[in-house]
Amino acid sequence: VSSVRTFHEDVRSALGGRHVVTDQDLTASHCIDWTRRWHGSTPAVLRPGSTDEVAEVVSAARRHHVALVPQGGNTGLVGGATPLAGEVVVDLRRLDRLDPVDAAARQVTVGAGVPLATVHAHVAPASLAFAVDLGAREQATVGGMVATNAGGIHVVRNGPMRVQLVGVEAVLGTGQVLVANMAGLEKDNTGYDLPALLCGSEGTLGIITAARLRLVARPEMVAAALVGFDSVDDAVWAASTLRGEPAVVAIELMTADGLAVVADFLQQSVPLLPVPAAVLLVEAAGRGDVTAALGDAVAALPGALDAAVSDDAAGRERLWRWREGHHEAAAALGVVHKADVTLPTGALARFVMAAPALVERVAPGSTTLVYGHAGDGNVHVNVVGPKPDDDSVVDAVLAAVLERGGSVSAEHGIGVAKRAWLVRQRGEVAVTAMRGIKSALDPDNICNPGVLLP
Amino acid sequence: VSSVRTFHEDVRSALGGRHVVTDQDLTASHCIDWTRRWHGSTPAVLRPGSTDEVAEVVSAARRHHVALVPQGGNTGLVGGATPLAGEVVVDLRRLDRLDPVDAAARQVTVGAGVPLATVHAHVAPASLAFAVDLGAREQATVGGMVATNAGGIHVVRNGPMRVQLVGVEAVLGTGQVLVANMAGLEKDNTGYDLPALLCGSEGTLGIITAARLRLVARPEMVAAALVGFDSVDDAVWAASTLRGEPAVVAIELMTADGLAVVADFLQQSVPLLPVPAAVLLVEAAGRGDVTAALGDAVAALPGALDAAVSDDAAGRERLWRWREGHHEAAAALGVVHKADVTLPTGALARFVMAAPALVERVAPGSTTLVYGHAGDGNVHVNVVGPKPDDDSVVDAVLAAVLERGGSVSAEHGIGVAKRAWLVRQRGEVAVTAMRGIKSALDPDNICNPGVLLP
């Protein structure tokens, strides 16, 4: 009997009809990504409400040879959650489990569908904090952040999502439910680290359903400073020095060109005058007199010019506007072509200085903003000017990054957008190993088959 | 022609005759482990001098269906590097590459055969430190420490080997050379994290040949304190509190019973009188007045009694003798049965108190020492009394740990010793996934086939 049932019948029986959404008006928002560059279509959006329901969905997909695209807040930037080949979308936002904070262990267990901002709010009353933060915090979900090993502004101090992930629950491509260290043991040296493997696998090995997250102390004091430098070289050298300061939790780089675009957008003047060639936004957090510690650290930096320091929330937000405004200012000018790259420490400054000319050669008259997480060697190159489908600028930037020994994706992942670059980045041996791992955990290739692996 | 050549001819031709050791007088030390519990035999010990030579060894092993056991300093505690089934031993200590310290990136690249103590000494002049430290530092090699995800006394602050591993070079079971982020990019979100997967795989996926390691600031000041408590409960609660102190880098637990055994062995009196029910050894490191910070933190602990504090090297060593003496004091009494376990935070104190009675029921008249890395929930249960081949005490301890939601191997790994426990610890789904990954990376099962997977 089962053999004549369709996939839709199976999932309707598993989830109930109202959680199998086929109305195109309702599925449309799931078929386009946050950048509006990737458009697809889907026969159905499934909304499982429990891990067991996800397992039933994956098992049904195996039986009927149906490809699945898992989706959380749909805030990815590389097309990794868009049903480009007509896959079925699995919307995980109903997995909204939010366990009590385990203060003694400094951990919390949350469902894949919980937005980042909800985690932040949930752990704050226990005087704890979740170490990952990023601009899309209201929409981005924990499951998606685990699947993509999300980064953000505090990686320089606390590492990306993979470092915060103590344990994971997932439905593998086999349909089996994997529960890996959800008890949150700090040390468990018994075999392969499956949480670390699933983190960053972009939905290609299975579907994350819940995560056990590490928490850090909630800082009592936070201070931020905008620091000017005569040259990008000086700023990058300063970023490297600041990484060694235990209280420093964010080190963001901006250049005069980018600040000019943001100043136009914000209709404000840069708070450092004359506008320096390069600016670092440095945030420090902890106990005691963090403001003084930050001031001392900044004053000791060779090449540091003027600095604007603030330790109240409103003042910090005004300083951060200059960094976060880059993204919006670029978007206000047109379609933004984004390259999210890491350079080796010694090659970062030269790359930041060379990028605008490199873009100008490929796409004359474009506007280029180079900014980002200088403490990690990670910068975002945003280019406005080329047509939406013209990949030539990003290709040229990524090729230059590879030549210099860098990475074509620092934190956004591979998705569909960077798939063609994976072998050049990681080498044939690594990609062959990844394919073997994918075949073992997703033998029928039903989990995000269009993503990551070329 | 190749088909009639033997494995020995192939490896002699690849390595040169003097690095294919078959003389039993010379191979004997490679056939017994550090605990002297595991004895095997081998037809040959191979000593490759380069990554390419390791690749030739693995390729020859594939061609001739020969099983390999990789070996570094041979300091493992679970039989993971002993040729128990007559495997060929691959001694990696000639891979002694020691690249200049990359001070800007705070990283260093070293060969698999470099001992831990050599790494410490190599990075110190750059005012940097390698965050992993453990008792066997003179013999334990980086390759073995990566393969086993070694832990040690600073995990509570800096995490185990996996956290220090930026990149890895390895020869997979296919014979292919994998080079994964040896350029040391802090952020590279391009596909599966193969360094994290290989770390802790205990030689079952391939042979580690080199590692790119993260370094931390060398602390300017270090201070240690022995702190007494009226109860194990108070000490474990204090350990949990101390984890939140940024300067605290080690939190080790001892009990009155263990200290009495060590006092006999050292022929000294415990420096806290009367001897408290439980003692923490707390180490703090950093800049500024670390001694005062440690004193303040200790004084604020509920239930803390007397404390002995020292900030000079000789004084710290005297305090550490009480912790490190546990290991030697137990060995001096006879064959030591070791369980290296983690408990969930809330279950640790009760387990520490219950363990001696549990052992007494199974092996009356035994001596039991319970001590270890309380900040991580990790304790070592050492039992002297039962016959060398009698596993019943360790089995009883591990069963009690599993019942309480803990791990049967916190940091020593699975090896051959804990293989029978893997499924109970991780579950069938996880072990099936591991087998699949093993098949993908070591398709002919030639890499440490007797280890880890049951």
Side-chain angles (χ1 to χ4, degrees), chain A residues 183 185 187-188, chain B residues 341-344 398 400-409 425:
Chain A
L185 299 175
K187 280 165 122 176
D188 177 23
Chain B
V341 301
T342 309
L343 279 298
L398 299 187
V401 166
L402 277 185
E403 264 169 40
R404 289 161 164 82
S407 169
V408 299
S409 184
Q425 180 71 51

Side-chain angles (χ1 to χ4, degrees), chain A residues 327-421:
Chain A
H327 187 73
E328 294 163 73
L333 296 177
V335 171
V336 186
H337 298 258
K338 289 172 178 287
D340 155 48
V341 301
T342 309
L343 279 296
T345 312
L348 180 62
R350 193 171 292 196
F351 174 81
V352 169
M353 291 183 281
L358 188 157
V359 169
E360 183 64 24
R361 275 199 302 279
V362 180
S366 301
T367 303
T368 305
L369 293 85
V370 186
Y371 62 96
H373 317 302
D376 313 315
N378 173 197
V379 287
H380 301 302
V381 182
N382 283 9
V383 179
V384 185
K387 294 204 176 119
D389 289 338
D390 181 356
D391 288 332
S392 56
V393 162
V394 169
D395 286 350
V397 171
L398 299 188
V401 167
L402 276 184
E403 265 170 40
R404 290 159 164 83
S407 170
V408 299
S409 183
E411 53 180 13
H412 295 171
I414 293 292
V416 295
K418 309 280 179 69
R419 218 156 47 126
W421 293 86

Side-chain angles (χ1 to χ4, degrees), chain A residues 104-106 148-152 155 162 172 176-180 183 185-197 200-202 204-205 237 240 243-246 287 342-345 373 376 378 405-414 422 425-426 429-430 432-434 436-438 440-441 452-453, chain B residues 104-106 148-152 155 162 172 176-180 183 185-197 200-202 204-205 237 240 243-246 287 342-345 373 376 378 405-414 422 425-426 429-430 432-434 436-438 440-441 452-453:
Chain A
R106 295 170 161 247
T148 58
N149 185 29
V155 173
R162 193 178 280 122
L172 301 179
Q176 294 173 306
V177 178
L178 174 77
V179 181
L185 299 175
E186 279 294 335
K187 280 165 122 176
D188 177 23
N189 216 4
T190 58
Y192 309 161
D193 188 348
L194 299 178
L197 178 65
S201 64
E202 302 191 23
T204 61
L205 302 178
W237 180 255
S240 168
R243 273 184 66 203
E245 293 291 327
R287 291 185 298 193
T342 309
L343 279 296
T345 312
H373 317 302
D376 313 315
N378 173 197
S407 170
V408 299
S409 183
E411 53 180 13
H412 295 171
I414 293 292
L422 189 66
Q425 181 71 50
R426 297 286 300 266
V429 173
T432 301
M434 290 184 213
I437 293 166
K438 161 90 169 162
L441 272 54
L452 186 54
L453 291 163
Chain B
R106 296 170 161 246
T148 59
N149 184 31
V155 172
R162 194 178 279 121
L172 301 179
Q176 293 173 307
V177 178
L178 173 78
V179 181
L185 301 174
E186 281 293 335
K187 279 165 122 177
D188 177 23
N189 216 4
T190 58
Y192 308 161
D193 187 348
L194 299 178
L197 178 65
S201 64
E202 302 191 22
T204 60
L205 301 178
W237 180 255
S240 167
R243 274 183 66 201
E245 293 292 326
R287 292 185 299 197
T342 309
L343 279 298
T345 312
H373 316 302
D376 312 316
N378 173 196
S407 169
V408 299
S409 184
E411 53 180 12
H412 295 171
I414 293 291
L422 189 66
Q425 180 71 51
R426 298 286 301 264
V429 173
T432 301
M434 291 184 211
I437 293 167
K438 161 88 169 164
L441 272 54
L452 186 54
L453 290 163

Side-chain angles (χ1 to χ4, degrees), chain B residues 54-64 171 174-176 446:
Chain B
V54 175
E56 293 202 57
V57 165
V58 175
S59 296
R62 268 197 94 175
R63 281 197 301 279
H64 298 286
V171 177
T174 56
Q176 293 173 307
I446 55 170

Side-chain angles (χ1 to χ4, degrees), chain A residues 226-239:
Chain A
L226 273 187
V227 191
F229 296 86
D230 263 342
S231 71
V232 173
D233 251 334
D234 284 349
V236 166
W237 180 255

Side-chain angles (χ1 to χ4, degrees), chain B residues 49-115:
Chain B
S50 69
T51 303
D52 286 347
E53 288 185 6
V54 175
E56 293 202 57
V57 165
V58 175
S59 296
R62 268 197 94 175
R63 281 197 301 279
H64 298 286
H65 307 287
V66 169
L68 303 174
V69 170
Q71 200 175 83
N74 200 11
T75 58
L77 297 170
V78 289
T82 312
L84 293 176
E87 297 91 341
V88 166
V89 172
V90 187
D91 178 349
L92 297 152
R93 286 177 299 177
R94 287 181 64 221
L95 302 182
D96 56 358
R97 169 180 178 188
L98 198 57
D99 287 12
V101 174
D102 183 342
R106 296 170 161 246
Q107 295 173 355
V108 67
T109 297
V110 302
V114 174

